[in-house]
Structure formats: C-alpha cells, structure tokens
C-alpha cells in the first residue's frame, strides 16, 4: 500500500472535522450548549476526546465555528452575486432558501435561537454576526428605500424580526407551522410589487 498523499491526509482531516461539527450540532441542538461536553461530542463523532483538540481548542471554538458557518451560509444567499446591491429576485431567492434551510436544518436553528437567548454564549459570536450583518442591513435599507417604503431602516428591522420570529415559531412547532402561507405573505409584501420596477 502506497503512502497517503497530502491531499488524502487533508481529506481525512476534513472528514473528521465535519464529524465533530455534525456531532456537536446535533448535541447542542437537542440537549443545549451548556449540557453538552467535549466527551459527549467525541463519543457521538466516534473519535477520541484528545483528537477533538487537534481541530478545536475548546467547546467554545466548536460552537463559534458552527454558528459562524451557518450565518455565513445564510447571508451569502441574500447577495448571491456579491455586488452589494439587492434585487427583488435575490430577495425572493433568499426567502425560498431561508425556508428550505429552516426545514432541512432544525438543529442549527434550535442552537441559533438558544444562543441568542444566552448573552454569555452569544457574546462569543456577536462580533462575527455584527460584521456580517452591517453590509446586509445597508443593502436591505437601500432596497426598501428604492421600493418606496416610508421608513426603510425601520422596515429593515421589521423584516429581520419577522425572519427571526418565523424561524423561532417553526423550530418550536414544525409540523403545525404554516410555512407556505407565511412565505407567501413575505413575498407579497417585499418582493412581488417591486419585481418590474
């Protein structure tokens, strides 16, 4: 058997890192951040506790990676072409993608909302969240200004609160929440009137 190439070592390393993150997300999302230990993450990921520290220096670093990655993923779908200019089609796509992400990743959203309610833990990711949110808030304010909303900054805050509230309600009662109806209300309010303008 020939020795592994650097690419093979990197692939193995990335696979183990993904297993750690997947295991941590599951445990954080089902039993809470504070109730989850590094030992439990290692057991769930089927690796040794010591090996986790080759990838992450602490449990805090694991949760930071999960949240930052999830936030990056969601924010990247808002401005798909990364031009800093939000079009109605991009907002429409974001709304569809956001609902899809909610349905496919309930553990991430449970973790996200639980972290928001714990200031000591949220402070670990607040800087990154704020850094990512600033340009997006600016794009949304610009979009809603062009769309003719009387108070685009206030409307942007309302839109962000709606997205958070929708996510929270969905995570609490996924089988009961009227996803399609709520999605259609958002599209009618923020996208459809401005598609041809």
């Amino acid at each position: 058997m020939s020795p592994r190439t650097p690419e093979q070592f990197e692939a193995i390393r990335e696979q183990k890192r993904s297993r750690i993150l997947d295991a941590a997300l599951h445990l954080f999302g089902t039993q809470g951040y504070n109730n989850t230990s590094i030992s439990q993450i290692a057991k769930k990921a089927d690796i040794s506790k010591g090996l986790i520290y080759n990838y992450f220096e602490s449990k805090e670093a694991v949760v930071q990676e999960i949240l930052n990655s999830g936030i990056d993923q969601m924010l990247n779908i808002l401005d798909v072409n990364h031009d800093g200019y939000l079009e109605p089609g991009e907002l429409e796509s974001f709304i569809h993608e956001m609902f899809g992400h909610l349905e496919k990743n309930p553990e991430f959203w449970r973790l996200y909302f639980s972290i928001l309610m714990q200031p000591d833990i949220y402070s670990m990711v607040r800087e990154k969240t704020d850094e990512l949110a600033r340009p997006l808030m600016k794009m949304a304010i610009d979009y809603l200004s062009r769309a003719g909303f009387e108070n685009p900054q206030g409307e942007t805050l309302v839109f962000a609160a709606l997205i958070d509230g929708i996510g929270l309600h969905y995570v609490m009662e996924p089988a009961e929440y009227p996803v399609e109806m709520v999605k259609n209300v958002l599209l009618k309010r923020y996208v459809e009137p401005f598609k041809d303008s």
Side-chain angles (χ1 to χ4, degrees), residues 90-141:
E90 288 175 310
L91 185 56
E92 178 178 23
S93 176
F94 171 77
I95 290 169
H96 287 292
E97 291 282 334
M98 192 268 310
F99 278 89
H101 198 274
L102 267 173
E103 292 176 282
K104 291 177 193 158
N105 302 287
E107 288 172 343
F108 170 80
W109 290 101
R110 272 195 297 279
L111 173 62
Y112 172 75
F113 290 119
S114 73
I115 296 294
L116 286 181
M117 300 301 170
Q118 300 174 68
D120 56 324
I121 301 170
Y122 181 59
S123 66
M124 293 187 294
V125 294
R126 183 175 193 131
E127 185 177 324
K128 175 75 170 174
T129 305
D130 289 348
E131 172 194 324
L132 291 168
R134 272 189 293 276
L136 294 171
M137 288 293 284
K138 184 180 179 310
M139 279 191 321
I141 291 168

Side-chain angles (χ1 to χ4, degrees), residues 71-86:
I71 292 165
D72 272 334
Q73 187 180 34
M74 289 306 296
L75 296 179
N76 279 334
I77 63 173
L78 183 58
D79 184 24
V80 179
N81 59 6
H82 303 287
D83 65 355
Y85 188 82
L86 188 58

Side-chain angles (χ1 to χ4, degrees), residues 36-51:
T36 300
S37 68
I38 286 288
S39 296
Q40 290 171 319
I41 295 169
K43 184 176 180 182
K44 178 84 175 158
D46 196 27
I47 62 171
S48 72
K49 179 179 172 182
L51 188 57

Side-chain angles (χ1 to χ4, degrees), residues 138-179:
K138 184 180 179 310
M139 279 191 321
I141 291 168
D142 177 58
Y143 171 85
L144 294 169
S145 177
R146 285 183 280 119
F149 281 88
E150 185 178 311
N151 181 352
Q153 184 174 4
E155 195 69 38
T156 298
L157 293 172
V158 167
F159 179 77
L162 285 171
I163 296 296
D164 280 345
I166 290 164
L168 183 57
H169 283 281
Y170 177 78
V171 165
M172 288 171 33
E173 295 186 289
E176 305 298 321
Y177 197 73
V179 172

